Amino acid sequence: MEAARHWARALLRGAVPVAAGLLLWVAVGAGEERRQQTLKALPEVSPELLAQRRRQNELVMAALREAAETDENVARRPVPWRK
């Protein structure tokens, strides 16, 4: 009987932190979903603005790709550089 109590106590001591972690995870997850919904509902998030940001990201990635493919120091190029 003493062994059963010992196991029950050990199981409880291990389950309490796990349960607390799960509760915190659920609370943070719900907050994250709410934050995502709030960001989507902002008035400045329009399809035009998103398209501009996407285009800007494409230009930056193209510049980084070109810099990675060449041995030239692209930072030393004159400012209005084009291919």
Side-chain angles (χ1 to χ4, degrees), residues 36-82:
Q36 290 290 334
Q37 292 298 325
T38 303
L39 287 175
K40 286 181 182 177
L42 289 174
E44 62 265 8
V45 178
S46 64
E48 296 84 19
L49 181 63
L50 292 176
Q52 284 178 344
R53 287 182 184 170
R54 197 172 297 117
R55 177 68 180 140
Q56 180 69 25
N57 286 342
E58 289 172 2
L59 291 173
V60 169
M61 290 306 293
L64 289 173
R65 193 175 301 114
E66 181 184 353
E69 291 172 352
T70 183
D71 289 334
E72 178 188 356
N73 187 352
V74 294
R76 299 285 181 187
R77 288 185 181 170
V79 174
W81 61 279
R82 298 266 184 226

Side-chain angles (χ1 to χ4, degrees), residues 7-39:
W7 275 102
R9 196 175 309 138
L11 186 63
L12 183 64
R13 285 182 183 165
V16 168
V18 171
L22 284 173
L23 287 174
L24 287 172
W25 184 61
V26 168
V28 169
E32 179 67 19
E33 287 177 14
R34 199 173 326 118
R35 187 182 73 83
Q36 290 290 334
Q37 292 298 325
T38 303
L39 287 175

